[in-house]
Amino acid sequence: MANIIDGKTLAKKFKDRLKDEVTFLKGHGIKPGLAVVLVGDNPASQVYVKAKGKACEEIGVNSFQHTLHKEIAQEELLWQISELNNDSNVHGILVQLPLPDHLNEEVILEAISPEKDIDGFHPLNIGRLVINQPLFQPCTPLGIMKLLEDTGIDISGKEAVVVGRSNIVGKPIALMLLHKNATVTICHSRTQNLEEKIGKADIVIAAIGKPAIIKGNWIKQGAIVIDVGINRLDNGKLVGDVEFEEASKRASFITPVPGGVGPMTIAMLLHNTVEAAKRQSKGLKV
Ligand code: NAP
Ligand code: LUD
């Protein structure tokens, strides 16, 4: 049976360390601040934003939550972002995704100052990741790298299969694995013979958003399985993209849903916010 990678406990370890760091920074007059912008009333987004606010509170980071009407005009949202860019109490700015359809996500994300872009979604931060000179890296893939590190297994030379090619998970995690010298295959909705590709993988990253679409018996014996998917079933239960029970019989390590990648996403958000505060207090520019 696989070892369960406990994301909740690892996230707690990171948060405890960050809490001490925040105490130290406050002693030097620096109080890290995170602004979270939520547009509309998407229930999942409300849950995540609330969890982010609570995590800030736990470690002593100032959190500023801005809930905006779902029909807000793009210009108005851009104005709000520029206010946050100019606010010296705000070191990190996060605009929760997805945004309502009438808003242009690329334009909004590019309006965030790269120095405060603790989500790592600004084109400048993405470019820096591509050339392996990262500044702020997206929280979910960064959390996945910490989970992999925690297994103690060397990534170098491993076959990694990433399923999903989103800007927030699939593409950045593929780059991070590549930079650790994995041989990376990126799969998506047009990929043929997914089962065969997964069957060869030493590391599987599932970031699709479809319940149990990756069958447990596709997993190679001894593989590491990271399940990013969060799917709420009609009965209210949360499940990942991987058939957990079957996959556990083959994998060496596997992340659960919930309690795997999700908590690490939030811990990495706090990490990036503290880093942003430190950089800004030194007057560093990108
Ligand atoms: P997304 O933007 O919807 O992307 C989904 C990806 O899956 C796309 O690249 C899509 O391919 C691919 N796909 C769809 N059907 C497929 C199929 N049958 N076979 C193979 N690939 C398929 O999603 P996302 O934002 O990356 O999120 C993915 C999941 O992770 C969601 O459940 C989300 O809630 C969860 N998530 C969790 C965390 C966390 O912290 N735990 C963070 C972020 C996201 P195409 O590109 O061809 O359409
Ligand atoms: N937008 C994210 N949109 C969605 N799960 C998250 C997430 C925590 N700008 C921006 O935070 O990084 C982002 N930046 N994202 N996500 C998804 C994505 C965004 C997803 C899950 C969790 C953040 C989380 O804590 C818990 C778990 O897996 O244990 C379960 C929470 C529950 O629903 O009960």
Side-chain angles (χ1 to χ4, degrees), residues 47-48 52 95-97 119 121 230 232 238 258-259 262-263 265-266:
V47 171
Y48 304 147
K52 289 172 185 184
V95 176
Q96 189 69 20
L97 301 177
D119 252 333
F121 294 164
I230 300 207
R232 194 170 286 280
L238 278 191
T265 295
I266 295 182

Side-chain angles (χ1 to χ4, degrees), residues 6-49:
D6 184 349
K8 211 170 162 185
T9 301
L10 189 63
K12 167 102 177 38
K13 261 193 229 168
F14 274 91
K15 284 192 283 186
D16 287 345
R17 259 184 261 157
L18 286 166
K19 188 176 181 176
D20 290 344
E21 195 170 1
V22 170
T23 305
F24 172 84
L25 290 172
K26 281 182 181 165
H28 291 77
I30 301 160
K31 178 149 195 196
L34 171 67
V36 178
V37 179
L38 172 62
V39 184
D41 51 12
N42 178 315
S45 296
Q46 286 172 334
V47 171
Y48 304 147
V49 164

Side-chain angles (χ1 to χ4, degrees), residues 40 49 117 135 151 189 194 215 252 257 272 285:
V49 164
D117 170 38
L135 179 59
T151 68
S189 66
L194 183 62
K215 303 302 166 202
S252 57
V257 177
N272 282 351
K285 292 269 173 275

Side-chain angles (χ1 to χ4, degrees), residues 210-226:
K210 295 190 173 160
I213 190 174
I214 310 269
K215 303 302 166 202
N217 65 7
W218 295 359
I219 303 296
K220 181 165 115 176
Q221 202 68 40
I224 304 177
V225 177
I226 306 288

Side-chain angles (χ1 to χ4, degrees), residues 12-227:
K12 167 102 177 38
K13 261 193 229 168
F14 274 91
K15 284 192 283 186
D16 287 345
R17 259 184 261 157
L18 286 166
K19 188 176 181 176
D20 290 344
E21 195 170 1
V22 170
T23 305
F24 172 84
L25 290 172
K26 281 182 181 165
H28 291 77
I30 301 160
K31 178 149 195 196
L34 171 67
V36 178
V37 179
L38 172 62
V39 184
D41 51 12
N42 178 315
S45 296
Q46 286 172 334
V47 171
Y48 304 147
V49 164
K50 197 168 160 207
K52 289 172 185 184
K54 184 169 159 268
C56 284
E57 203 179 298
E58 273 169 30
I59 70 154
V61 164
N62 250 333
S63 106
F64 309 94
Q65 302 229 349
H66 298 265
T67 305
L68 307 174
H69 195 269
K70 62 174 179 295
E71 278 158 23
I72 190 173
Q74 175 144 317
E75 284 309 311
E76 169 71 11
L77 178 55
L78 290 172
W79 182 84
Q80 298 263 2
I81 291 170
S82 89
E83 290 279 293
L84 297 172
N85 283 338
N86 294 325
D87 184 341
S88 60
N89 292 316
V90 171
H91 303 96
I93 304 171
L94 178 153
V95 176
Q96 189 69 20
L97 301 177
L99 287 168
D101 287 345
H102 70 282
L103 297 170
N104 184 328
E105 186 179 297
E106 286 79 47
V107 171
I108 306 291
L109 295 179
E110 201 166 347
I112 297 170
S113 158
E115 201 61 73
K116 296 191 176 186
D117 170 38
I118 41 59
D119 252 333
F121 294 164
H122 188 286
L124 186 136
N125 281 316
I126 297 169
R128 292 194 64 140
L129 172 60
V130 172
I131 61 169
N132 201 12
Q133 298 283 320
L135 179 59
F136 295 113
Q137 304 184 70
C139 302
T140 300
L142 188 58
I144 295 171
M145 294 308 284
K146 303 290 182 195
L147 289 165
L148 288 173
E149 221 170 88
D150 196 55
T151 68
I153 283 165
D154 186 11
I155 292 171
S156 181
K158 295 282 190 298
E159 291 286 338
V161 169
V162 176
V163 193
R165 54 173 163 181
S166 70
N167 291 335
I168 85 171
V169 189
K171 275 187 247 175
I173 190 62
L175 287 164
M176 290 178 196
L177 290 165
L178 179 65
H179 294 151
K180 292 287 180 197
N181 300 315
T183 302
V184 183
T185 303
I186 305 176
C187 303
H188 45 77
S189 66
R190 316 294 166 86
T191 295
Q192 303 202 344
N193 305 324
L194 183 62
E195 172 177 354
E196 184 193 312
K197 290 176 174 67
I198 288 180
K200 293 189 177 134
D202 304 307
I203 301 171
V204 177
I205 313 284
I208 305 146
K210 295 190 173 160
I213 190 174
I214 310 269
K215 303 302 166 202
N217 65 7
W218 295 359
I219 303 296
K220 181 165 115 176
Q221 202 68 40
I224 304 177
V225 177
I226 306 288
D227 193 347

